[in-house]
């Protein structure tokens, strides 16, 4: 993960290229930080961790991955299971059966320092269905179909992330990421439109609806806002870290429901 100060540098260069005024800006160089990207995909029953070091604004070096660390996950019953070092900076555990509503703790020991983080595996909220509505052509948009997610929101706080797969290809761009909660629809049916693009007859649309904890929802919402320029801070920062010691990255545990629709007239 490149330091997010780099995003600010790009924005600053764009700004000064469009005007004549010279602005002196002090950019602070920083020491590389440990980055721990950890997730437990309960549907795949796979725990994945990637360890690396961030790079600063002025560095020409590539990312440094870290091998030889001790990485383990602890379930809600206190059972500790180690991950296997893949010798490329990643650590993997497969066929790890989930217990929903349980808290999982990730423990990473690298260079003599131990980092811990925990997250709760929320029960999966099912997608009731995917439906479409045709939108006629306007002076600003072509004609096409909007896809709607229909979800019966259970009582209690719920946090969601929708990931799209269009004609067999997952959409990874910032504008394709969609996150929402149930602040205004507590315990009711939600009909949630995916307005980022219109679809045509014959398109196959798959939606994975992830159920997050509030902690993971907050982290990824902040990350999206910062990357998209939506942060209220004067300069880009890093999202809130929930690791026990200072580092970058996050540990999330999640399940999801999947629905597929083929667009028809």
């Amino acid at each position: 993960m490149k330091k997010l100060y780099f995003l600010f540098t790009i924005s600053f260069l764009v700004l000064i290229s469009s005007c004549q005024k010279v602005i002196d800006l002090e950019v602070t160089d920083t020491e590389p930080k440990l980055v721990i990207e950890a997730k437990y995909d309960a549907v795949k029953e796979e725990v994945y961790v990637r360890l690396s070091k961030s790079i600063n604004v002025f560095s020409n070096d590539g990312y440094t991955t870290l091998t030889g660390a001790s990485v383990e996950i602890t379930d809600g019953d206190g059972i500790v299971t180690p991950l296997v070092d893949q010798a490329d900076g990643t650590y993997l555990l497969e066929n790890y059966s989930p217990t929903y509503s349980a808290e999982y703790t990730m423990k990473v020991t690298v260079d003599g320092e131990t980092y811990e983080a925990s997250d709760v595996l929320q029960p999966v909220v099912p997608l009731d269905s995917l439906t479409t509505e045709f939108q006629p052509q306007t002076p600003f948009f072509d004609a096409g179909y909007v896809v709607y997610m229909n979800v019966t929101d259970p009582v209690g706080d719920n946090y969601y992330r929708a990931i799209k797969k269009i004609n067999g290809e997952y959409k990874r761009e910032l504008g394709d990421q969609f996150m929402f909660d149930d602040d205004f629809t507590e315990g009711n049916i939600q009909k949630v439109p995916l307005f980022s693009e219109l679809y045509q007859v014959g398109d196959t649309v798959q939606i994975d609806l992830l159920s997050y904890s509030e902690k993971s929802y907050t982290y990824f919402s902040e990350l999206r806002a910062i990357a998209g320029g939506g942060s209220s801070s004067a300069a880009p920062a890093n999202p809130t870290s929930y690791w026990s010691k200072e580092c970058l990255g996050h540990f999330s545990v999640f399940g999801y429901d999947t629905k597929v629709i083929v667009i028809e007239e």
Side-chain angles (χ1 to χ4, degrees):
M1 178 186 294
K2 187 179 287 287
K3 292 288 290 181
L4 288 174
Y5 300 114
F6 180 66
L7 293 175
F8 183 73
T9 304
I10 293 175
S11 300
F12 177 68
L13 291 175
V14 172
L15 173 65
I16 63 174
S17 67
S18 61
C19 60
Q20 299 298 318
K21 184 177 181 180
V22 177
I23 302 173
D24 293 325
L25 176 66
E26 181 180 352
V27 180
T28 303
D29 194 7
T30 60
E31 290 297 322
K33 288 187 176 181
L34 175 65
V35 182
I36 308 176
E37 302 165 275
K39 64 178 182 179
Y40 174 26
D41 184 327
V43 175
K44 292 182 178 179
E45 298 189 353
E46 178 183 275
V47 185
Y48 172 90
V49 175
R50 184 176 186 271
L51 303 181
S52 60
K53 288 287 186 70
S54 65
I55 55 179
N56 60 51
V57 172
F58 304 105
S59 174
N60 293 319
D61 298 330
Y63 302 109
T64 300
T65 57
L66 301 175
T67 60
S70 172
V71 181
E72 57 190 33
I73 188 170
T74 303
D75 67 13
D77 294 323
I79 299 174
V80 179
T81 306
L83 277 67
V84 178
D85 189 343
Q86 305 297 299
D88 61 356
T90 66
Y91 300 76
L92 187 65
L93 173 60
E94 297 177 298
N95 302 315
Y96 189 62
S97 298
T99 300
Y100 288 92
S101 299
E103 183 176 53
Y104 288 85
T105 300
M106 182 66 66
K107 181 178 179 181
V108 176
T109 302
V110 57
D111 295 333
E113 295 286 341
T114 297
Y115 304 80
E116 292 188 10
S118 62
D119 200 16
V120 175
L121 180 58
Q122 301 297 317
V124 172
V125 176
L127 268 170
D128 295 334
S129 64
L130 300 177
T131 55
T132 63
E133 289 185 9
F134 180 73
Q135 301 294 314
Q137 185 174 6
T138 71
F140 304 101
F141 300 101
D142 293 332
Y145 290 82
V146 176
V147 171
Y148 289 81
M149 298 182 294
N150 301 291
V151 183
T152 302
D153 180 69
V155 175
D157 295 333
N158 296 283
Y159 305 91
Y160 306 101
R161 180 183 182 183
I163 298 178
K164 300 187 296 183
K165 187 177 184 180
I166 311 301
N167 298 324
E169 180 182 354
Y170 275 108
K171 309 293 282 187
R172 305 294 189 186
E173 297 299 323
L174 182 64
D176 295 315
Q177 301 297 310
F178 186 66
M179 304 188 69
F180 63 104
D181 58 29
D182 63 352
D183 276 354
F184 301 106
T185 57
E186 168 66 24
N188 296 312
I189 295 176
Q190 296 197 54
K191 185 178 181 181
V192 184
L194 298 172
F195 282 131
S196 58
E197 62 181 310
L198 296 176
Y199 304 99
Q200 305 303 319
V201 172
D203 284 342
T204 299
V205 179
Q206 173 181 311
I207 302 296
D208 297 340
L209 183 64
L210 281 64
S211 296
Y212 272 152
S213 68
E214 182 177 10
K215 184 185 295 184
S216 286
Y217 179 83
T218 299
Y219 175 84
F220 287 110
S221 294
E222 289 179 356
L223 184 63
R224 186 181 188 279
I226 293 166
S231 174
S232 60
S233 60
N238 294 305
T240 304
S241 174
Y242 295 97
W243 290 99
S244 59
K245 293 182 180 179
E246 184 179 2
C247 67
L248 304 177
H250 185 66
F251 171 50
S252 62
V253 299
F254 56 87
Y256 50 90
D257 190 30
T258 299
K259 286 288 188 294
V260 178
I261 188 172
V262 179
I263 308 300
E264 299 177 344
E265 292 184 1

